[in-house]
Amino acid sequence: MNRLDYSVARPAADALQVNKVIRNTYTLLSATLFFSALMAAASVMFSMPPMTYLLSLGGAMLLIWFVLPRTANSAAGLGVVFAITGLMGFGLGPILEMYLSLPNGSQIVGTAFGGTGVIFLGLSGYALTTRKNFNFMGGFLFAGMLVVLVGALANIFLQMPAFSLAISAVVIMLMSGFILYDTSRMIHERDSNYVMMTVSLYLSIFNIFVSLLQILGMTSDD
Amino acid sequence: MDWMKIGSALLILAMIIFLFPRAKQMLRDSPEAKPGDWQGAILPIMAVVGFVLLLIVMV
């Protein structure tokens, strides 16, 4: 006779699965962030040209759109995640170099780095401790991202600094929403994949860092 | 117009094209927010805005 009480065992199994996804996601995220920082440092050391940012980002996007969905459920997915985050980190080199050449550049980069860490840890901690379900934000966040992209496209031709600053501010708010949304998905969606979650959280962190750099660079006294 | 601008425009255009169907699907399928849900999301985001303002003052 099966004496296991499923009414108790099922929630316990779900909780174990959720904890496993959260642990795997944060472990992989830490490793990819470290790797990405190493690649960014290498890119700064080699003084890569500005075009590197565009090419690296383009390569990473192609991997995210075409390769990651096919490999996310296999061991190859891990390699793809490192390729994506490595490319994006390498692409950051020319941007970091530009900010580091400013009079208070190292302070701007350091503040943006620390600030991104505090924002990510704070929002993740909030979503994990309150265990609120932020799934309702999905449509709003994706629609907001589309509006921001259209605005960014227009600003390539308009070249308005104030508009660029506004776009960066909105990106930080949207990416903060994405961190809440993704963390909540890890808790509430049974079939969430830690490889996809890692890439999603990494993109939010990357965008917050770049936007924060831009805001601090533009508003800096020097 | 330089190559960086053309490349950036093409990359953003590709992102819009890839994101559009996902955004449409998400808008259609996302669950409705319950009373108080938005408040729970807006409060931490406003805290982030305050924190960024603090960083701006610091630098």
Side-chain angles (χ1 to χ4, degrees):
Chain A
M1 193 179 116
N2 188 355
R3 296 192 298 136
L4 194 63
D5 182 355
Y6 281 99
S7 62
V8 176
R10 178 56 69 84
D14 284 349
L16 279 176
Q17 175 62 21
V18 166
N19 287 342
K20 194 178 159 194
V21 170
I22 292 172
R23 194 181 57 237
N24 287 346
T25 303
Y26 287 128
T27 307
L28 186 58
L29 188 63
S30 317
T32 52
L33 283 171
F34 181 69
F35 180 61
S36 193
L38 279 182
M39 292 300 281
S43 180
V44 171
M45 257 171 54
F46 294 129
S47 291
M48 297 304 289
M51 199 64 164
T52 310
Y53 178 67
L54 208 56
L55 292 175
S56 301
L57 222 59
M61 287 300 132
L62 287 177
L63 286 176
I64 291 171
W65 292 329
F66 299 111
V67 185
L68 188 66
R70 290 172 196 175
T71 54
N73 288 313
S74 64
L78 290 176
V80 177
V81 174
F82 276 97
I84 291 167
T85 54
L87 267 174
M88 292 183 76
F90 196 71
L92 268 183
I95 294 182
L96 289 176
E97 215 179 328
M98 186 185 83
Y99 283 103
L100 287 171
S101 66
L102 295 173
N104 61 342
S106 52
Q107 192 194 356
I108 290 172
V109 173
T111 308
F113 185 76
T116 305
V118 170
I119 291 171
F120 174 71
L121 291 176
L123 291 171
S124 293
Y126 176 79
L128 285 172
T129 49
T130 60
R131 297 184 89 80
K132 281 183 178 165
N133 194 339
F134 293 106
N135 270 1
F136 66 92
M137 290 171 78
F140 172 81
L141 291 173
F142 277 91
M145 204 56 227
L146 265 185
V147 173
V148 163
L149 285 173
V150 171
L153 183 64
N155 205 37
I156 289 176
F157 305 101
L158 298 172
Q159 294 282 312
M160 290 161 64
F163 191 41
S164 177
L165 198 64
I167 288 173
S168 296
V170 175
V171 167
I172 290 180
M173 287 195 271
L174 277 176
M175 291 304 136
S176 299
F178 268 111
I179 291 174
L180 293 176
Y181 172 73
D182 286 329
T183 311
S184 139
R185 275 172 67 204
M186 282 196 286
I187 301 168
H188 298 284
E189 279 183 22
R190 269 185 211 166
D191 54 348
S192 55
N193 178 302
Y194 77 96
V195 170
M196 297 298 271
M197 283 297 153
T198 302
V199 173
S200 199
L201 287 172
Y202 176 87
L203 288 177
S204 300
I205 293 170
F206 182 91
N207 284 320
I208 288 177
F209 178 66
V210 172
S211 302
L212 209 48
L213 261 184
Q214 192 165 10
I215 289 176
L216 295 177
M218 284 175 90
T219 55
S220 161
D221 292 337
D222 296 315
Chain B
M1 178 170 287
D2 62 72
W3 284 106
M4 274 297 281
K5 281 186 184 173
I6 295 169
S8 303
L10 285 175
L11 189 64
I12 292 176
L13 204 61
M15 284 183 194
I16 292 171
I17 291 166
F18 271 88
L19 205 65
F20 186 71
R22 181 88 197 272
K24 224 165 88 172
Q25 184 218 335
M26 292 297 291
L27 277 172
R28 199 179 50 231
D29 299 340
S30 282
E32 289 278 312
K34 293 185 210 84
D37 274 354
W38 275 110
Q39 199 185 350
I42 287 170
L43 277 174
I45 294 174
M46 283 301 115
V48 169
V49 172
F51 179 65
V52 172
L53 289 174
L54 182 75
L55 292 182
I56 291 171
V57 174
M58 274 168 57
V59 174

